[in-house]
């Protein structure tokens, strides 16, 4: 019993010690915590306060004016007009509520146009959705009270926001005029991306608005004053359809090219070329963006901006086209369509180039609006609309015959006679409907022999002997394929490489009967674009070099005064291929085209009699279904009248193509040749166009004064 008592005493004596140790440990921990807090507050307090107030410097970019576009004589076609602007640079993490409050404040100092029209034809017009977005940004808590917790938990971000929008009533958005102006400002600000500068207002900004905003910049985070630019067109609509357009800030980067542009350093709201030359030469015209070091605080607000690089305006384009000549060609085409149009003819297309280097000298497409009757510019159709061209392809057929070996310099005389072939329409030439006439390659072109061309196709298919009512036993599809390959060497049926986006390549049909191989040889099957026809005749004129046509001759810098500066790049002639045909064979085709406009039996001789220059050319007539803008007449059979030519014959300076499509099925209209003669007269400044350039210059001066 005694032993047991002693053990109990020992156990009791250890309990107070453990409790004391625990209390001591807790005391030490609290002491360490107090010391740590004191250290942080007293020793490190100032350092942490500095960290909280720390700013971050980020590089922001801004837009610069685009390069301008000039004609070959350095007269401005596309320019820039400088505008005063109110700008906004959005900081990182800036909320919609913050922007809405800035917009409300800014609305006190500037006016926004068209804010009460509830349309979307400009950046400033407001829709009801815009007003609802603004209302939500101002008071999101209020709109959230209209949404259940279950909906908030179950819906995604986009779906939840749409529900917020739907919960805003018409009564909610009964804003005053100033509030609507604030909503318009918010709409513009909300379209910007972090650290990208956008224009809140850049049209009709008054000096008073600039002054008021400048005085209150401290109360308007991210807002600043600056300059903007807008495209101007001193020559009005001249070549407007190929000069192209630029996106607005609201449009920004085209969706299908956004990834590429972003990778190149563009911002989503940057203005870029969206069509034609503006698009084709975007990298040249865009310039170097300005750069600013932007300081943002811990909330993402911009506290200071220092411009480190002012940016550099884009380089300028100098075109190959002289506006004096362009204006004359355009007026010739307009007058022809206005006074000589017949039947379903609603358009005319004219294009001319230097055949030695591909430089476009003039191009115009004029088309009558079916509803208004007004003649409008459709120049872009020259590269993307195709037509059946008729006999103007015959020089290519003769050269195809030489390249294929179907005819040779020793064997190039064939009999022109009506061709009666089983299961195919009769083929005959206009000059010979019933007899037999021996013609060679030159006279076949001069007299426009359909039969000569058809017999070349027969020979290409291995059939050298024709007899009446024979069955056409040739591999006609192989013949058409060979002809297409030969034609392609001249630019027919393939893209020409012109420096414009969206070029078409014409229509290639699927042959389903042997007779089409014969009709193919005189332009009654495949279709070609006007620019292809120009490249084709230029290839013949220059001796066999297929050259890419181009509208831009030079790229020039901008000088210190903002004007066109020194040459940066002189665009070079691009030879795409050399036709695989002998010089003598090509010379004979050139002689044949000379006979068309100068020979006793030439189809165009009467139209070029007495010229002060020598022309070589070829006329064409093609039966074709109508597919113009009178939809109720689609499919009716019409006639396309065409002309290709060049001059002077012995040293070509200009090649020209004209098409007058969808005429009645008669031979009474010869505007194709008449217009070609006028264009060549204008180029050489002879006849009715002698010294006309001086008159045009005088008229331009008068327009400028007005």
């Amino acid at each position: 019993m005694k032993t047991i008592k002693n053990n109990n005493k020992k156990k009791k004596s250890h309990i107070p010690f453990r409790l004391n140790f625990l209390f001591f440990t807790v005391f030490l921990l609290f002491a360490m915590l107090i010391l740590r807090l004191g250290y942080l507050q007293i020793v490190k307090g100032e350092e942490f306060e500095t960290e909280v107030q720390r700013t971050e410097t980020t590089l922001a970019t801004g837009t610069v004016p685009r390069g301008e576009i000039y004609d070959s004589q350095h007269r401005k076609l596309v320019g820039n007009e400088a505008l005063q602007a109110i700008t906004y640079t959005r900081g990182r993490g800036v909320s919609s509520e913050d922007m809405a409050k800035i917009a409300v404040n800014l609305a006190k100092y500037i006016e926004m146009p068209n804010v009460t029209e509830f349309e979307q034809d400009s950046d400033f017009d407001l829709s009801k959705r815009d007003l609802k977005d603004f209302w939500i940004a101002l008071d999101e808590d209020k709109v959230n009270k209209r949404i259940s917790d279950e909906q908030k938990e179950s819906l995604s971000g986009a779906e939840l926001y749409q529900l917020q929008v739907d919960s805003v009533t018409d009564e909610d958005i009964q804003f005053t005029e100033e509030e609507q102006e604030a909503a318009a400002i918010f709409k513009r600000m909300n379209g910007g991306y972090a650290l990208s500068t956008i224009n809140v207002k850049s049209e009709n900004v008054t000096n008073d608005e600039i002054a008021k905003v400048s005085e209150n910049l401290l109360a308007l985070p991210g807002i600043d004053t600056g300059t903007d630019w807008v495209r101007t067109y001193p020559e009005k609509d001249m070549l407007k359809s190929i000069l192209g357009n630029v996106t607005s800030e609201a449009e920004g980067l085209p969706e299908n090219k956004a990834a590429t542009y972003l990778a190149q350093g563009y911002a989503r709201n940057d203005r870029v070329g969206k069509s034609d030359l503006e698009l084709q030469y975007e990298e040249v015209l865009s310039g170097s963006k300005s750069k600013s070091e932007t300081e943002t605080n811990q909330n993402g607000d911009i506290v200071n901006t220092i411009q480190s690089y002012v940016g550099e305006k884009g380089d300028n384009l100098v075109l190959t086209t002289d506006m004096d000549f362009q204006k004359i060609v355009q007026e010739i085409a307009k007058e022809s369509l206005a006074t000589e149009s017949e039947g379903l003819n609603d358009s005319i297309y004219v294009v001319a180039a230097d055949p030695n280097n591909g430089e476009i000298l003039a191009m115009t497409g004029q088309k009558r609006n079916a509803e208004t009757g007004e003649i409008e510019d459709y120049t872009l159709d020259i590269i993307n609309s195709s037509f059946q061209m008729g006999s103007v392809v015959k020089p290519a057929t003769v050269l195809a015959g030489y390249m294929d070996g179907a005819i040779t310099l020793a064997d190039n005389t064939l009999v022109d006679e009506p061709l009666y072939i089983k299961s195919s329409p009769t083929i005959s030439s206009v000059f010979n409907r019933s007899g037999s006439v021996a013609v060679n390659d030159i006279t076949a072109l001069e007299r426009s022999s359909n039969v000569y061309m058809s017999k070349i196709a027969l020979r290409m298919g291995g059939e050298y002997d024709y007899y009446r009512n024979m069955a056409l036993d040739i591999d006609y599809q192989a013949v058409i394929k060979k002809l297409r390959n030969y034609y392609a060497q001249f630019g027919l049926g393939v893209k020409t490489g012109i420096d414009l986006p969206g070029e078409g390549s014409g229509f290639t049909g699927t042959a389903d009967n042997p007779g089409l191989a014969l009709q193919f040889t005189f332009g009654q099957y495949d279709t070609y674009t006007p620019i292809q026809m120009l490249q084709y005749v230029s290839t013949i004129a220059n001796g066999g070099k297929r050259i890419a046509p181009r509208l831009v001759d030079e790229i020039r810098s901008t000088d210190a005064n903002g004007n066109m500066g020194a040459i940066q790049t002189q665009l070079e002639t691009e030879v795409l291929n050399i036709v695989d045909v002998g010089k003598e064979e090509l010379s004979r085709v050139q002689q044949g085209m000379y006979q068309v406009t100068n020979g006793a039996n030439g189809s165009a001789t009467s139209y070029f009699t007495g010229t002060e220059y020598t022309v070589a050319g070829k006329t064409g007539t093609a039966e074709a279904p109508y597919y113009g803008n009178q939809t109720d007449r689609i499919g009716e059979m019409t006639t396309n009248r065409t002309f290709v030519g060049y001059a002077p014959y012995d040293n070509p300076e200009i090649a020209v193509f004209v098409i007058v499509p969808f005429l009645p099925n008669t031979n009474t209209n010869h505007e194709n040749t008449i217009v070609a003669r006028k264009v060549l007269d204008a180029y050489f400044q002879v006849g009715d166009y002698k010294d006309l350039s001086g008159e045009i210059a005088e008229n331009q001066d008068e327009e400028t004064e007005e």
Side-chain angles (χ1 to χ4, degrees):
M1 295 296 292
K2 189 175 182 179
T3 304
I4 295 172
K5 286 181 180 179
N6 290 337
N7 288 340
N8 287 337
K9 285 180 180 178
K10 287 181 179 179
K11 290 180 179 177
K12 289 180 180 178
S13 67
H14 282 284
I15 292 173
F17 174 77
R18 291 175 179 173
L19 285 173
N20 290 335
F21 181 77
L22 178 62
F23 291 149
F24 181 72
T25 302
V26 171
F27 170 78
L28 288 176
L29 291 174
F30 271 107
M32 291 174 64
L33 179 60
I34 292 169
L35 289 172
R36 183 63 178 170
L37 289 173
Y39 172 78
L40 293 176
Q41 291 181 350
I42 298 171
V43 179
K44 290 289 188 178
E46 186 175 344
E47 181 180 335
F48 287 132
E49 184 178 355
T50 303
E51 178 68 18
V52 169
Q53 296 177 352
R54 180 180 62 85
T55 60
E56 181 180 352
T57 301
T58 310
L59 193 65
T61 59
T63 59
V64 294
R66 288 175 73 81
E68 299 175 320
I69 304 177
Y70 298 80
D71 83 336
S72 63
Q73 303 304 310
H74 299 176
R75 290 168 294 200
K76 191 176 294 186
L77 302 177
V78 182
N80 298 313
E81 179 183 352
L83 303 172
Q84 294 187 120
I86 309 296
T87 67
Y88 174 64
T89 304
R90 184 174 183 174
R92 293 187 185 276
V94 175
S95 67
S96 296
E97 182 181 3
D98 292 334
M99 284 191 294
K101 290 177 180 178
I102 296 170
V104 170
N105 199 6
L106 182 58
K108 300 174 185 177
Y109 310 120
I110 66 174
E111 293 182 0
M112 303 292 280
N114 305 327
V115 296
T116 60
E117 297 183 4
F118 293 100
E119 296 179 359
Q120 292 178 314
D121 295 331
S122 80
D123 294 347
F124 298 129
D125 293 330
L126 290 172
S127 66
K128 284 189 176 181
R129 172 59 185 267
D130 296 326
L131 296 179
K132 289 184 177 183
D133 289 337
F134 181 56
W135 192 85
I136 292 170
L138 285 174
D139 202 345
E140 187 173 5
D141 290 339
K142 189 173 182 179
V143 76
N144 281 339
K145 292 178 182 178
R146 302 175 182 179
I147 301 172
S148 68
D149 292 337
E150 183 181 348
Q151 289 173 318
K152 293 175 184 176
E153 293 174 359
S154 62
L155 296 177
S156 66
E159 293 172 333
L160 179 59
Y161 187 76
Q162 185 59 52
L163 186 60
Q164 289 177 318
V165 171
D166 294 339
S167 68
V168 180
T169 66
D170 289 345
E171 288 73 20
D172 291 330
I173 57 175
Q174 293 300 313
F175 292 129
T176 65
E177 184 173 341
E178 185 173 306
E179 288 172 332
Q180 289 184 42
E181 290 187 342
I185 293 171
F186 173 76
K187 175 184 177 182
R188 296 290 297 121
M189 294 169 65
N190 201 34
Y193 296 85
L195 299 179
S196 66
T197 300
I198 63 170
N199 293 311
V200 175
K201 182 180 179 183
S202 58
E203 294 182 18
N204 303 316
V205 178
T206 66
N207 292 332
D208 186 52
E209 288 176 325
I210 292 289
K212 288 179 179 179
V213 171
S214 298
E215 291 170 2
N216 293 275
L217 289 179
L218 291 177
L220 299 167
I223 297 296
D224 204 348
T225 59
T227 57
D228 189 32
W229 53 269
V230 64
R231 278 312 213 193
T232 59
Y233 300 90
E235 296 292 338
K236 299 178 181 178
D237 291 334
M238 182 69 63
L239 286 177
K240 185 74 180 292
S241 66
I242 64 168
L243 294 173
N245 295 299
V246 179
T247 62
S248 66
E249 274 191 312
E251 291 175 301
L253 303 180
E255 193 62 34
N256 63 335
K257 294 179 177 290
T260 301
Y261 283 132
L262 289 171
Q264 295 172 352
Y266 285 79
R268 287 190 176 274
N269 59 294
D270 278 348
R271 287 168 286 183
V272 297
K274 67 178 180 180
S275 62
D276 310 313
L277 286 176
E278 293 274 18
L279 172 58
Q280 184 76 19
Y281 289 93
E282 168 63 24
E283 292 185 8
V284 172
L285 295 167
S286 60
S288 302
K289 301 173 74 172
S290 64
K291 297 179 181 179
S292 301
E293 293 180 354
T294 302
E295 293 184 16
T296 55
N297 60 24
Q298 73 279 7
N299 296 322
D301 297 325
I302 295 174
V303 296
N304 190 29
T305 300
I306 301 174
Q307 190 173 65
S308 58
Y309 173 57
V310 296
E312 187 174 339
K313 175 188 169 187
D315 288 334
N316 307 293
L317 302 181
V318 177
L319 303 189
T320 59
T321 305
D322 182 326
M323 279 302 100
D324 285 348
F325 184 50
Q326 171 66 30
K327 283 183 177 180
I328 296 172
V329 171
Q330 184 169 299
E331 287 306 312
I332 290 171
K334 275 187 176 181
E335 182 182 5
S336 174
L337 185 60
T339 61
E340 304 299 331
S341 176
E342 298 180 46
L344 290 171
N345 169 234
D346 57 7
S347 56
I348 181 172
Y349 302 96
V350 184
V351 57
D354 184 334
N356 303 296
N357 55 28
E359 293 181 358
I360 299 294
L361 301 175
M363 60 191 302
T364 186
Q366 300 297 320
K367 192 171 186 177
R368 183 179 293 105
N369 187 303
E371 296 181 359
T372 66
E374 296 293 322
I375 295 176
E376 301 173 349
D377 183 84
Y378 272 77
T379 301
L380 203 58
D381 280 0
I382 285 175
I383 72 164
N384 56 32
S385 290
S386 61
F387 306 88
Q388 289 180 328
M389 296 297 183
S391 295
V392 286
V393 306
K394 288 176 178 176
T397 300
V398 173
L399 290 169
Y402 276 120
M403 288 187 279
D404 195 69
I407 56 175
T408 65
L409 294 174
D411 179 19
N412 57 22
T413 299
L414 304 174
V415 176
D416 184 291
E417 57 191 321
L419 300 181
Y420 301 96
I421 297 174
K422 287 183 179 180
S423 303
S424 294
T426 301
I427 294 175
S428 63
S429 303
V430 172
F431 74 93
N432 179 30
R433 297 298 190 188
S434 58
S436 297
V437 180
V439 293
N440 62 16
D441 50 349
I442 294 175
T443 53
L445 290 173
E446 177 184 6
R447 308 190 73 174
S448 199
S449 171
N450 293 338
V451 174
Y452 189 94
M453 308 304 153
S454 297
K455 286 189 173 181
I456 287 178
L458 288 173
R459 287 189 169 197
M460 290 175 69
E463 183 61 74
Y464 277 68
D465 298 317
Y466 162 77
Y467 56 90
R468 191 180 180 95
N469 295 324
M470 67 183 291
L472 198 56
D473 186 21
I474 63 172
D475 187 345
Y476 63 93
Q477 292 182 335
V479 171
I480 291 176
K481 183 177 180 180
K482 286 198 292 183
L483 283 167
R484 284 176 178 151
N485 288 337
Y486 292 131
Y487 282 14
Q489 292 191 40
F490 298 92
L492 297 178
V494 294
K495 293 184 178 181
T496 64
I498 189 172
D499 52 348
L500 284 173
E503 180 185 2
S505 56
F507 171 76
T508 300
T510 302
D512 56 6
N513 70 78
L516 289 175
L518 308 188
Q519 295 179 38
F520 187 95
T521 62
F522 48 92
Q524 296 293 149
Y525 190 42
D526 282 1
T527 66
Y528 310 108
T529 63
I531 196 66
Q532 287 175 337
M533 298 304 300
L534 180 71
Q535 186 180 62
Y536 148 66
V537 70
S538 296
T539 303
I540 293 175
N542 68 35
K545 293 181 291 186
R546 184 168 79 97
I547 296 173
R550 57 186 169 89
L551 283 156
V552 175
D553 181 38
E554 300 171 348
I555 297 172
R556 286 178 171 258
S557 64
T558 300
D559 64 20
N561 297 318
N563 300 315
M564 185 170 61
I567 294 178
Q568 297 284 83
T569 304
Q570 174 68 60
L571 275 70
E572 298 181 356
T573 300
E574 182 181 4
V575 178
L576 301 176
N577 63 268
I578 297 176
V579 179
D580 186 21
V581 69
K583 289 185 178 180
E584 190 171 349
E585 288 85 346
L586 184 58
S587 176
R588 290 186 65 83
V589 168
Q590 291 171 337
Q591 292 175 52
M593 295 177 70
Y594 171 87
Q595 289 298 115
V596 169
T597 53
N598 297 277
N601 296 307
S603 59
T605 297
S606 61
Y607 297 97
F608 290 95
T609 301
T611 59
E612 298 179 38
Y613 49 88
T614 307
V615 184
K618 185 72 187 76
T619 59
T621 303
E623 291 186 15
Y626 174 74
Y627 49 87
N629 52 22
Q630 297 186 40
T631 55
D632 59 326
R633 308 288 293 275
I634 298 294
E636 290 188 26
M637 291 306 297
T638 60
T639 297
N640 297 338
R641 302 301 298 262
T642 55
F643 178 87
V644 294
Y646 59 90
Y649 168 69
D650 55 353
N651 186 24
E653 295 179 23
I654 180 174
V656 63
F657 170 74
V658 179
I659 180 170
V660 184
F662 311 135
L663 290 163
N665 287 322
T666 65
N667 288 323
T668 60
N669 190 302
H670 297 281
E671 282 300 293
N672 56 322
T673 313
I674 294 170
V675 166
R677 166 68 187 268
K678 290 179 179 179
V679 169
L680 290 171
D681 279 357
Y683 175 80
F684 291 107
Q685 296 184 25
V686 298
D688 293 339
Y689 300 94
K690 188 173 184 179
D691 299 325
L692 196 58
S693 60
E695 181 181 328
I696 290 176
E698 184 177 339
N699 291 337
Q700 286 179 328
D701 291 339
E702 291 176 1
E703 290 177 6
T704 302
E705 290 174 4
E706 292 175 3

